[in-house]
Amino acid sequence: PEAAALAARLTAEVAREEAEAPTPAPVGVGPDDSLWDDGQLPLFPLQPPRSGRELLTDHVLAMICCAAIDTAGAAPGLDWLDGPTLLVSGERAVDLAPRVHSLVEDGDPEPLRDWLTGLGVRPEKPVRLV
């Protein structure tokens, strides 16, 4: 229930930010409007809006990565296909995302708690957001 409430709050916050975002300038106002004849089509296909649970999963994953970097000596990494990743002892932490999904979707903290304990992340130490 707490995860659902938090996911709903994140969804509402994203909707509020999107409503407050400035509208883009109309196409065809600049000097190079002859180069664009696509009739205001987006350059990339639009992605469906993300659900509150997806946003919650991303936020929890980001906090776990910050804690691992701050207290356990992990390092941020970048994969050319998947984007940001967490490096633990020079290797990609591929087993982290399923554990976070287990926490958010099923409410089961044990797999993530075991992973954090095995890595040496100290839960009592606050995370520094620098």
Side-chain angles (χ1 to χ4, degrees), residues 28-82:
V29 235
D32 296 331
D33 58 350
S34 62
L35 297 175
W36 297 98
D37 60 350
D38 59 352
Q40 294 184 345
L41 293 177
L43 296 177
F44 300 101
L46 298 176
Q47 299 295 321
R50 296 172 54 196
S51 71
R53 288 208 185 264
E54 290 171 330
L55 292 170
L56 179 60
T57 300
D58 286 347
H59 282 78
V60 170
L61 189 59
M63 286 303 297
I64 296 298
C65 289
C66 287
I69 290 168
D70 196 33
T71 64
L78 186 62
D79 183 85
W80 69 273
L81 185 58
D82 295 330

mmCIF file of all heavy atoms in Angstrom, residues 28-82:
data_model
loop_
_atom_site.group_PDB
_atom_site.id
_atom_site.type_symbol
_atom_site.label_atom_id
_atom_site.label_comp_id
_atom_site.label_asym_id
_atom_site.label_seq_id
_atom_site.Cartn_x
_atom_site.Cartn_y
_atom_site.Cartn_z
ATOM 1 N N GLY A 28 8.663 26.328 -38.254
ATOM 2 C CA GLY A 28 8.498 27.167 -39.443
ATOM 3 C C GLY A 28 8.670 28.641 -39.173
ATOM 4 O O GLY A 28 8.270 29.459 -39.976
ATOM 5 N N VAL A 29 9.226 29.012 -38.027
ATOM 6 C CA VAL A 29 9.422 30.419 -37.721
ATOM 7 C C VAL A 29 10.844 30.864 -37.998
ATOM 8 O O VAL A 29 11.090 32.040 -38.083
ATOM 9 C CB VAL A 29 9.107 30.732 -36.242
ATOM 10 C CG1 VAL A 29 8.096 31.805 -36.095
ATOM 11 C CG2 VAL A 29 8.735 29.522 -35.462
ATOM 12 N N GLY A 30 11.773 29.942 -38.117
ATOM 13 C CA GLY A 30 13.168 30.299 -38.297
ATOM 14 C C GLY A 30 13.542 30.431 -39.764
ATOM 15 O O GLY A 30 12.752 30.164 -40.670
ATOM 16 N N PRO A 31 14.777 30.859 -40.030
ATOM 17 C CA PRO A 31 15.233 31.056 -41.408
ATOM 18 C C PRO A 31 15.414 29.742 -42.157
ATOM 19 O O PRO A 31 15.416 29.733 -43.379
ATOM 20 C CB PRO A 31 16.569 31.778 -41.243
ATOM 21 C CG PRO A 31 17.024 31.427 -39.866
ATOM 22 C CD PRO A 31 15.787 31.225 -39.061
ATOM 23 N N ASP A 32 15.566 28.629 -41.446
ATOM 24 C CA ASP A 32 15.791 27.348 -42.119
ATOM 25 C C ASP A 32 14.526 26.517 -42.234
ATOM 26 O O ASP A 32 14.585 25.300 -42.311
ATOM 27 C CB ASP A 32 16.842 26.533 -41.349
ATOM 28 C CG ASP A 32 18.196 27.210 -41.358
ATOM 29 O OD1 ASP A 32 18.475 27.939 -42.336
ATOM 30 O OD2 ASP A 32 18.958 27.021 -40.401
ATOM 31 N N ASP A 33 13.372 27.159 -42.271
ATOM 32 C CA ASP A 33 12.135 26.389 -42.308
ATOM 33 C C ASP A 33 11.971 25.611 -43.613
ATOM 34 O O ASP A 33 11.214 24.661 -43.677
ATOM 35 C CB ASP A 33 10.926 27.267 -42.052
ATOM 36 C CG ASP A 33 10.801 28.416 -43.040
ATOM 37 O OD1 ASP A 33 11.754 28.641 -43.813
ATOM 38 O OD2 ASP A 33 9.754 29.087 -43.016
ATOM 39 N N SER A 34 12.707 25.952 -44.667
ATOM 40 C CA SER A 34 12.609 25.195 -45.916
ATOM 41 C C SER A 34 13.285 23.826 -45.785
ATOM 42 O O SER A 34 13.001 22.920 -46.555
ATOM 43 C CB SER A 34 13.250 25.975 -47.059
ATOM 44 O OG SER A 34 14.622 26.166 -46.789
ATOM 45 N N LEU A 35 14.187 23.673 -44.795
ATOM 46 C CA LEU A 35 14.851 22.388 -44.598
ATOM 47 C C LEU A 35 13.925 21.364 -43.944
ATOM 48 O O LEU A 35 14.139 20.165 -44.067
ATOM 49 C CB LEU A 35 16.094 22.570 -43.722
ATOM 50 C CG LEU A 35 17.180 23.462 -44.301
ATOM 51 C CD1 LEU A 35 18.296 23.646 -43.285
ATOM 52 C CD2 LEU A 35 17.720 22.869 -45.584
ATOM 53 N N TRP A 36 12.924 21.849 -43.255
ATOM 54 C CA TRP A 36 12.006 20.946 -42.545
ATOM 55 C C TRP A 36 10.658 20.967 -43.249
ATOM 56 O O TRP A 36 9.933 21.935 -43.209
ATOM 57 C CB TRP A 36 11.827 21.398 -41.101
ATOM 58 C CG TRP A 36 13.093 21.357 -40.318
ATOM 59 C CD1 TRP A 36 13.911 22.399 -40.059
ATOM 60 C CD2 TRP A 36 13.689 20.214 -39.725
ATOM 61 N NE1 TRP A 36 14.986 21.989 -39.337
ATOM 62 C CE2 TRP A 36 14.879 20.645 -39.109
ATOM 63 C CE3 TRP A 36 13.348 18.879 -39.652
ATOM 64 C CZ2 TRP A 36 15.718 19.778 -38.432
ATOM 65 C CZ3 TRP A 36 14.186 18.025 -38.971
ATOM 66 C CH2 TRP A 36 15.349 18.474 -38.375
ATOM 67 N N ASP A 37 10.310 19.885 -43.875
ATOM 68 C CA ASP A 37 9.002 19.818 -44.520
ATOM 69 C C ASP A 37 8.196 18.637 -44.002
ATOM 70 O O ASP A 37 7.372 18.077 -44.678
ATOM 71 C CB ASP A 37 9.148 19.738 -46.044
ATOM 72 C CG ASP A 37 9.929 18.508 -46.481
ATOM 73 O OD1 ASP A 37 10.507 17.828 -45.618
ATOM 74 O OD2 ASP A 37 9.951 18.239 -47.693
ATOM 75 N N ASP A 38 8.456 18.272 -42.753
ATOM 76 C CA ASP A 38 7.786 17.098 -42.193
ATOM 77 C C ASP A 38 6.462 17.429 -41.513
ATOM 78 O O ASP A 38 5.790 16.554 -41.014
ATOM 79 C CB ASP A 38 8.701 16.364 -41.219
ATOM 80 C CG ASP A 38 9.151 17.244 -40.074
ATOM 81 O OD1 ASP A 38 8.883 18.448 -40.097
ATOM 82 O OD2 ASP A 38 9.786 16.708 -39.162
ATOM 83 N N GLY A 39 6.077 18.683 -41.452
ATOM 84 C CA GLY A 39 4.791 19.053 -40.893
ATOM 85 C C GLY A 39 4.677 18.822 -39.398
ATOM 86 O O GLY A 39 3.686 18.286 -38.940
ATOM 87 N N GLN A 40 5.686 19.182 -38.642
ATOM 88 C CA GLN A 40 5.719 19.109 -37.190
ATOM 89 C C GLN A 40 5.682 17.682 -36.652
ATOM 90 O O GLN A 40 5.180 17.426 -35.575
ATOM 91 C CB GLN A 40 4.581 19.913 -36.586
ATOM 92 C CG GLN A 40 4.698 21.393 -36.828
ATOM 93 C CD GLN A 40 3.594 22.164 -36.133
ATOM 94 O OE1 GLN A 40 2.600 21.603 -35.707
ATOM 95 N NE2 GLN A 40 3.772 23.458 -36.039
ATOM 96 N N LEU A 41 6.193 16.730 -37.378
ATOM 97 C CA LEU A 41 6.296 15.372 -36.864
ATOM 98 C C LEU A 41 7.479 15.300 -35.903
ATOM 99 O O LEU A 41 8.501 15.944 -36.124
ATOM 100 C CB LEU A 41 6.504 14.369 -38.004
ATOM 101 C CG LEU A 41 5.332 14.189 -38.955
ATOM 102 C CD1 LEU A 41 5.709 13.227 -40.069
ATOM 103 C CD2 LEU A 41 4.131 13.663 -38.209
ATOM 104 N N PRO A 42 7.375 14.522 -34.851
ATOM 105 C CA PRO A 42 8.516 14.416 -33.940
ATOM 106 C C PRO A 42 9.677 13.690 -34.607
ATOM 107 O O PRO A 42 9.484 12.838 -35.470
ATOM 108 C CB PRO A 42 7.966 13.608 -32.765
ATOM 109 C CG PRO A 42 6.758 12.924 -33.275
ATOM 110 C CD PRO A 42 6.233 13.751 -34.417
ATOM 111 N N LEU A 43 10.902 14.062 -34.203
ATOM 112 C CA LEU A 43 12.075 13.426 -34.778
ATOM 113 C C LEU A 43 12.218 11.985 -34.318
ATOM 114 O O LEU A 43 12.759 11.149 -35.025
ATOM 115 C CB LEU A 43 13.331 14.215 -34.402
ATOM 116 C CG LEU A 43 13.403 15.630 -34.958
ATOM 117 C CD1 LEU A 43 14.652 16.333 -34.447
ATOM 118 C CD2 LEU A 43 13.413 15.598 -36.472
ATOM 119 N N PHE A 44 11.760 11.694 -33.109
ATOM 120 C CA PHE A 44 11.834 10.347 -32.559
ATOM 121 C C PHE A 44 10.436 9.912 -32.161
ATOM 122 O O PHE A 44 9.615 10.738 -31.787
ATOM 123 C CB PHE A 44 12.746 10.315 -31.329
ATOM 124 C CG PHE A 44 14.151 10.737 -31.637
ATOM 125 C CD1 PHE A 44 14.596 12.006 -31.330
ATOM 126 C CD2 PHE A 44 15.031 9.870 -32.263
ATOM 127 C CE1 PHE A 44 15.884 12.396 -31.614
ATOM 128 C CE2 PHE A 44 16.320 10.256 -32.552
ATOM 129 C CZ PHE A 44 16.751 11.516 -32.237
ATOM 130 N N PRO A 45 10.156 8.616 -32.211
ATOM 131 C CA PRO A 45 8.827 8.179 -31.779
ATOM 132 C C PRO A 45 8.604 8.511 -30.304
ATOM 133 O O PRO A 45 9.512 8.390 -29.490
ATOM 134 C CB PRO A 45 8.845 6.665 -31.984
ATOM 135 C CG PRO A 45 10.170 6.304 -32.517
ATOM 136 C CD PRO A 45 11.003 7.526 -32.638
ATOM 137 N N LEU A 46 7.417 8.947 -29.984
ATOM 138 C CA LEU A 46 7.099 9.295 -28.613
ATOM 139 C C LEU A 46 6.982 8.032 -27.775
ATOM 140 O O LEU A 46 6.450 7.025 -28.216
ATOM 141 C CB LEU A 46 5.789 10.075 -28.552
ATOM 142 C CG LEU A 46 5.787 11.409 -29.291
ATOM 143 C CD1 LEU A 46 4.406 12.036 -29.241
ATOM 144 C CD2 LEU A 46 6.803 12.346 -28.662
ATOM 145 N N GLN A 47 7.493 8.096 -26.563
ATOM 146 C CA GLN A 47 7.410 6.972 -25.636
ATOM 147 C C GLN A 47 6.131 7.105 -24.813
ATOM 148 O O GLN A 47 5.698 8.215 -24.512
ATOM 149 C CB GLN A 47 8.625 6.970 -24.702
ATOM 150 C CG GLN A 47 9.942 6.833 -25.421
ATOM 151 C CD GLN A 47 10.070 5.484 -26.106
ATOM 152 O OE1 GLN A 47 9.662 4.470 -25.570
ATOM 153 N NE2 GLN A 47 10.617 5.487 -27.303
ATOM 154 N N PRO A 48 5.533 5.988 -24.455
ATOM 155 C CA PRO A 48 4.336 6.089 -23.607
ATOM 156 C C PRO A 48 4.711 6.660 -22.251
ATOM 157 O O PRO A 48 5.844 6.501 -21.793
ATOM 158 C CB PRO A 48 3.860 4.635 -23.485
ATOM 159 C CG PRO A 48 5.041 3.800 -23.797
ATOM 160 C CD PRO A 48 5.899 4.610 -24.727
ATOM 161 N N PRO A 49 3.772 7.331 -21.588
ATOM 162 C CA PRO A 49 4.086 7.881 -20.268
ATOM 163 C C PRO A 49 4.445 6.762 -19.296
ATOM 164 O O PRO A 49 3.894 5.674 -19.347
ATOM 165 C CB PRO A 49 2.796 8.591 -19.847
ATOM 166 C CG PRO A 49 1.793 8.305 -20.879
ATOM 167 C CD PRO A 49 2.423 7.588 -22.004
ATOM 168 N N ARG A 50 5.386 7.062 -18.414
ATOM 169 C CA ARG A 50 5.832 6.056 -17.450
ATOM 170 C C ARG A 50 4.873 6.014 -16.276
ATOM 171 O O ARG A 50 4.367 7.046 -15.845
ATOM 172 C CB ARG A 50 7.237 6.396 -16.997
ATOM 173 C CG ARG A 50 8.197 6.313 -18.179
ATOM 174 C CD ARG A 50 9.556 6.800 -17.882
ATOM 175 N NE ARG A 50 10.096 6.132 -16.721
ATOM 176 C CZ ARG A 50 11.140 6.580 -16.054
ATOM 177 N NH1 ARG A 50 11.741 7.664 -16.437
ATOM 178 N NH2 ARG A 50 11.589 5.937 -15.004
ATOM 179 N N SER A 51 4.651 4.815 -15.765
ATOM 180 C CA SER A 51 3.736 4.649 -14.638
ATOM 181 C C SER A 51 4.431 5.071 -13.346
ATOM 182 O O SER A 51 5.646 5.229 -13.287
ATOM 183 C CB SER A 51 3.286 3.193 -14.537
ATOM 184 O OG SER A 51 4.353 2.378 -14.090
ATOM 185 N N GLY A 52 3.640 5.213 -12.306
ATOM 186 C CA GLY A 52 4.185 5.559 -11.008
ATOM 187 C C GLY A 52 5.123 4.493 -10.471
ATOM 188 O O GLY A 52 6.137 4.791 -9.851
ATOM 189 N N ARG A 53 4.823 3.235 -10.737
ATOM 190 C CA ARG A 53 5.699 2.144 -10.282
ATOM 191 C C ARG A 53 7.037 2.171 -11.007
ATOM 192 O O ARG A 53 8.073 1.888 -10.406
ATOM 193 C CB ARG A 53 5.027 0.797 -10.481
ATOM 194 C CG ARG A 53 3.905 0.562 -9.500
ATOM 195 C CD ARG A 53 3.723 -0.910 -9.244
ATOM 196 N NE ARG A 53 2.586 -1.147 -8.403
ATOM 197 C CZ ARG A 53 2.673 -1.312 -7.098
ATOM 198 N NH1 ARG A 53 3.829 -1.242 -6.506
ATOM 199 N NH2 ARG A 53 1.602 -1.542 -6.382
ATOM 200 N N GLU A 54 7.029 2.503 -12.285
ATOM 201 C CA GLU A 54 8.297 2.614 -13.014
ATOM 202 C C GLU A 54 9.142 3.758 -12.453
ATOM 203 O O GLU A 54 10.358 3.616 -12.289
ATOM 204 C CB GLU A 54 8.040 2.829 -14.504
ATOM 205 C CG GLU A 54 7.474 1.624 -15.210
ATOM 206 C CD GLU A 54 7.042 1.938 -16.629
ATOM 207 O OE1 GLU A 54 6.634 3.079 -16.914
ATOM 208 O OE2 GLU A 54 7.107 1.014 -17.454
ATOM 209 N N LEU A 55 8.507 4.867 -12.153
ATOM 210 C CA LEU A 55 9.224 5.998 -11.563
ATOM 211 C C LEU A 55 9.757 5.646 -10.178
ATOM 212 O O LEU A 55 10.896 5.976 -9.841
ATOM 213 C CB LEU A 55 8.316 7.224 -11.475
ATOM 214 C CG LEU A 55 7.924 7.854 -12.803
ATOM 215 C CD1 LEU A 55 6.849 8.898 -12.583
ATOM 216 C CD2 LEU A 55 9.129 8.451 -13.478
ATOM 217 N N LEU A 56 8.944 4.955 -9.387
ATOM 218 C CA LEU A 56 9.375 4.551 -8.055
ATOM 219 C C LEU A 56 10.566 3.599 -8.142
ATOM 220 O O LEU A 56 11.541 3.734 -7.400
ATOM 221 C CB LEU A 56 8.221 3.901 -7.295
ATOM 222 C CG LEU A 56 8.532 3.396 -5.890
ATOM 223 C CD1 LEU A 56 8.992 4.542 -4.996
ATOM 224 C CD2 LEU A 56 7.308 2.709 -5.306
ATOM 225 N N THR A 57 10.518 2.654 -9.072
ATOM 226 C CA THR A 57 11.624 1.712 -9.261
ATOM 227 C C THR A 57 12.897 2.459 -9.624
ATOM 228 O O THR A 57 13.972 2.178 -9.080
ATOM 229 C CB THR A 57 11.272 0.685 -10.353
ATOM 230 O OG1 THR A 57 10.100 -0.031 -9.949
ATOM 231 C CG2 THR A 57 12.401 -0.290 -10.584
ATOM 232 N N ASP A 58 12.804 3.420 -10.528
ATOM 233 C CA ASP A 58 13.981 4.200 -10.918
ATOM 234 C C ASP A 58 14.543 5.002 -9.741
ATOM 235 O O ASP A 58 15.761 5.106 -9.579
ATOM 236 C CB ASP A 58 13.645 5.144 -12.070
ATOM 237 C CG ASP A 58 13.498 4.419 -13.390
ATOM 238 O OD1 ASP A 58 13.895 3.237 -13.476
ATOM 239 O OD2 ASP A 58 12.965 5.027 -14.339
ATOM 240 N N HIS A 59 13.674 5.577 -8.923
ATOM 241 C CA HIS A 59 14.134 6.357 -7.776
ATOM 242 C C HIS A 59 14.819 5.467 -6.740
ATOM 243 O O HIS A 59 15.873 5.825 -6.202
ATOM 244 C CB HIS A 59 12.969 7.113 -7.133
ATOM 245 C CG HIS A 59 12.565 8.335 -7.876
ATOM 246 N ND1 HIS A 59 11.797 8.288 -9.019
ATOM 247 C CD2 HIS A 59 12.823 9.638 -7.655
ATOM 248 C CE1 HIS A 59 11.602 9.512 -9.458
ATOM 249 N NE2 HIS A 59 12.215 10.352 -8.665
ATOM 250 N N VAL A 60 14.232 4.309 -6.459
ATOM 251 C CA VAL A 60 14.845 3.395 -5.491
ATOM 252 C C VAL A 60 16.187 2.900 -6.029
ATOM 253 O O VAL A 60 17.180 2.847 -5.304
ATOM 254 C CB VAL A 60 13.897 2.213 -5.179
ATOM 255 C CG1 VAL A 60 14.600 1.133 -4.384
ATOM 256 C CG2 VAL A 60 12.674 2.711 -4.425
ATOM 257 N N LEU A 61 16.230 2.560 -7.305
ATOM 258 C CA LEU A 61 17.471 2.095 -7.924
ATOM 259 C C LEU A 61 18.553 3.174 -7.839
ATOM 260 O O LEU A 61 19.714 2.887 -7.523
ATOM 261 C CB LEU A 61 17.222 1.695 -9.373
ATOM 262 C CG LEU A 61 18.334 0.994 -10.108
ATOM 263 C CD1 LEU A 61 18.729 -0.294 -9.408
ATOM 264 C CD2 LEU A 61 17.888 0.680 -11.521
ATOM 265 N N ALA A 62 18.185 4.430 -8.073
ATOM 266 C CA ALA A 62 19.149 5.526 -7.987
ATOM 267 C C ALA A 62 19.673 5.688 -6.563
ATOM 268 O O ALA A 62 20.881 5.894 -6.356
ATOM 269 C CB ALA A 62 18.504 6.830 -8.462
ATOM 270 N N MET A 63 18.807 5.573 -5.574
ATOM 271 C CA MET A 63 19.257 5.698 -4.182
ATOM 272 C C MET A 63 20.162 4.537 -3.787
ATOM 273 O O MET A 63 21.146 4.730 -3.069
ATOM 274 C CB MET A 63 18.057 5.772 -3.237
ATOM 275 C CG MET A 63 17.343 7.099 -3.287
ATOM 276 S SD MET A 63 18.410 8.514 -2.919
ATOM 277 C CE MET A 63 18.891 8.163 -1.254
ATOM 278 N N ILE A 64 19.859 3.338 -4.269
ATOM 279 C CA ILE A 64 20.710 2.184 -3.974
ATOM 280 C C ILE A 64 22.090 2.390 -4.592
ATOM 281 O O ILE A 64 23.111 2.115 -3.973
ATOM 282 C CB ILE A 64 20.065 0.878 -4.481
ATOM 283 C CG1 ILE A 64 18.762 0.596 -3.743
ATOM 284 C CG2 ILE A 64 21.021 -0.293 -4.389
ATOM 285 C CD1 ILE A 64 18.897 0.392 -2.270
ATOM 286 N N CYS A 65 22.123 2.884 -5.822
ATOM 287 C CA CYS A 65 23.404 3.139 -6.485
ATOM 288 C C CYS A 65 24.199 4.203 -5.731
ATOM 289 O O CYS A 65 25.410 4.062 -5.539
ATOM 290 C CB CYS A 65 23.178 3.563 -7.934
ATOM 291 S SG CYS A 65 22.605 2.227 -9.002
ATOM 292 N N CYS A 66 23.529 5.267 -5.280
ATOM 293 C CA CYS A 66 24.224 6.307 -4.504
ATOM 294 C C CYS A 66 24.790 5.726 -3.222
ATOM 295 O O CYS A 66 25.932 6.026 -2.842
ATOM 296 C CB CYS A 66 23.265 7.453 -4.187
ATOM 297 S SG CYS A 66 22.857 8.490 -5.593
ATOM 298 N N ALA A 67 24.011 4.883 -2.537
ATOM 299 C CA ALA A 67 24.487 4.286 -1.289
ATOM 300 C C ALA A 67 25.659 3.349 -1.545
ATOM 301 O O ALA A 67 26.623 3.333 -0.776
ATOM 302 C CB ALA A 67 23.345 3.531 -0.607
ATOM 303 N N ALA A 68 25.607 2.580 -2.625
ATOM 304 C CA ALA A 68 26.699 1.648 -2.940
ATOM 305 C C ALA A 68 27.979 2.408 -3.293
ATOM 306 O O ALA A 68 29.070 2.013 -2.908
ATOM 307 C CB ALA A 68 26.289 0.724 -4.074
ATOM 308 N N ILE A 69 27.840 3.497 -4.006
ATOM 309 C CA ILE A 69 29.007 4.300 -4.375
ATOM 310 C C ILE A 69 29.576 4.999 -3.145
ATOM 311 O O ILE A 69 30.787 5.051 -2.942
ATOM 312 C CB ILE A 69 28.631 5.315 -5.478
ATOM 313 C CG1 ILE A 69 28.373 4.582 -6.783
ATOM 314 C CG2 ILE A 69 29.709 6.368 -5.647
ATOM 315 C CD1 ILE A 69 27.729 5.435 -7.861
ATOM 316 N N ASP A 70 28.692 5.494 -2.300
ATOM 317 C CA ASP A 70 29.109 6.277 -1.138
ATOM 318 C C ASP A 70 29.717 5.429 -0.037
ATOM 319 O O ASP A 70 30.667 5.852 0.620
ATOM 320 C CB ASP A 70 27.901 7.054 -0.608
ATOM 321 C CG ASP A 70 28.282 8.166 0.338
ATOM 322 O OD1 ASP A 70 29.365 8.752 0.145
ATOM 323 O OD2 ASP A 70 27.506 8.438 1.256
ATOM 324 N N THR A 71 29.204 4.215 0.194
ATOM 325 C CA THR A 71 29.647 3.452 1.358
ATOM 326 C C THR A 71 30.377 2.162 1.024
ATOM 327 O O THR A 71 31.058 1.628 1.892
ATOM 328 C CB THR A 71 28.460 3.091 2.271
ATOM 329 O OG1 THR A 71 27.574 2.231 1.564
ATOM 330 C CG2 THR A 71 27.733 4.326 2.733
ATOM 331 N N ALA A 72 30.247 1.634 -0.190
ATOM 332 C CA ALA A 72 30.825 0.316 -0.470
ATOM 333 C C ALA A 72 31.876 0.341 -1.572
ATOM 334 O O ALA A 72 32.332 -0.712 -2.004
ATOM 335 C CB ALA A 72 29.721 -0.670 -0.840
ATOM 336 N N GLY A 73 32.243 1.502 -2.058
ATOM 337 C CA GLY A 73 33.303 1.578 -3.060
ATOM 338 C C GLY A 73 32.893 1.182 -4.466
ATOM 339 O O GLY A 73 33.746 0.928 -5.306
ATOM 340 N N ALA A 74 31.609 1.134 -4.744
ATOM 341 C CA ALA A 74 31.155 0.877 -6.110
ATOM 342 C C ALA A 74 31.433 2.120 -6.951
ATOM 343 O O ALA A 74 31.790 3.180 -6.426
ATOM 344 C CB ALA A 74 29.669 0.531 -6.125
ATOM 345 N N ALA A 75 31.277 1.982 -8.261
ATOM 346 C CA ALA A 75 31.557 3.112 -9.155
ATOM 347 C C ALA A 75 30.454 3.229 -10.200
ATOM 348 O O ALA A 75 29.882 2.224 -10.611
ATOM 349 C CB ALA A 75 32.904 2.912 -9.847
ATOM 350 N N PRO A 76 30.162 4.459 -10.630
ATOM 351 C CA PRO A 76 29.190 4.610 -11.713
ATOM 352 C C PRO A 76 29.817 4.187 -13.029
ATOM 353 O O PRO A 76 31.020 4.321 -13.239
ATOM 354 C CB PRO A 76 28.869 6.109 -11.697
ATOM 355 C CG PRO A 76 30.071 6.740 -11.090
ATOM 356 C CD PRO A 76 30.656 5.730 -10.135
ATOM 357 N N GLY A 77 29.005 3.669 -13.906
ATOM 358 C CA GLY A 77 29.476 3.261 -15.220
ATOM 359 C C GLY A 77 28.462 3.635 -16.281
ATOM 360 O O GLY A 77 27.354 4.083 -15.978
ATOM 361 N N LEU A 78 28.845 3.449 -17.526
ATOM 362 C CA LEU A 78 27.958 3.756 -18.640
ATOM 363 C C LEU A 78 28.078 2.651 -19.669
ATOM 364 O O LEU A 78 29.168 2.364 -20.167
ATOM 365 C CB LEU A 78 28.328 5.105 -19.264
ATOM 366 C CG LEU A 78 27.410 5.624 -20.348
ATOM 367 C CD1 LEU A 78 26.005 5.851 -19.803
ATOM 368 C CD2 LEU A 78 27.950 6.916 -20.928
ATOM 369 N N ASP A 79 26.974 2.016 -19.958
ATOM 370 C CA ASP A 79 26.923 0.974 -20.971
ATOM 371 C C ASP A 79 26.397 1.604 -22.250
ATOM 372 O O ASP A 79 25.430 2.355 -22.217
ATOM 373 C CB ASP A 79 25.998 -0.154 -20.501
ATOM 374 C CG ASP A 79 25.963 -1.304 -21.464
ATOM 375 O OD1 ASP A 79 26.845 -2.177 -21.385
ATOM 376 O OD2 ASP A 79 25.039 -1.317 -22.308
ATOM 377 N N TRP A 80 27.000 1.322 -23.365
ATOM 378 C CA TRP A 80 26.628 1.988 -24.615
ATOM 379 C C TRP A 80 25.215 1.615 -25.048
ATOM 380 O O TRP A 80 24.567 2.358 -25.774
ATOM 381 C CB TRP A 80 27.625 1.658 -25.726
ATOM 382 C CG TRP A 80 27.560 0.237 -26.186
ATOM 383 C CD1 TRP A 80 28.215 -0.825 -25.651
ATOM 384 C CD2 TRP A 80 26.791 -0.272 -27.277
ATOM 385 N NE1 TRP A 80 27.901 -1.971 -26.332
ATOM 386 C CE2 TRP A 80 27.029 -1.661 -27.342
ATOM 387 C CE3 TRP A 80 25.927 0.300 -28.203
ATOM 388 C CZ2 TRP A 80 26.426 -2.476 -28.290
ATOM 389 C CZ3 TRP A 80 25.336 -0.521 -29.145
ATOM 390 C CH2 TRP A 80 25.585 -1.889 -29.189
ATOM 391 N N LEU A 81 24.699 0.506 -24.588
ATOM 392 C CA LEU A 81 23.356 0.082 -24.993
ATOM 393 C C LEU A 81 22.323 0.366 -23.910
ATOM 394 O O LEU A 81 21.235 0.854 -24.194
ATOM 395 C CB LEU A 81 23.369 -1.410 -25.325
ATOM 396 C CG LEU A 81 22.083 -1.999 -25.872
ATOM 397 C CD1 LEU A 81 21.671 -1.283 -27.149
ATOM 398 C CD2 LEU A 81 22.252 -3.476 -26.136
ATOM 399 N N ASP A 82 22.668 0.093 -22.665
ATOM 400 C CA ASP A 82 21.697 0.194 -21.579
ATOM 401 C C ASP A 82 21.754 1.507 -20.817
ATOM 402 O O ASP A 82 20.879 1.787 -20.015
ATOM 403 C CB ASP A 82 21.898 -0.956 -20.588
ATOM 404 C CG ASP A 82 21.598 -2.297 -21.217
ATOM 405 O OD1 ASP A 82 20.745 -2.345 -22.116
ATOM 406 O OD2 ASP A 82 22.222 -3.288 -20.810
#
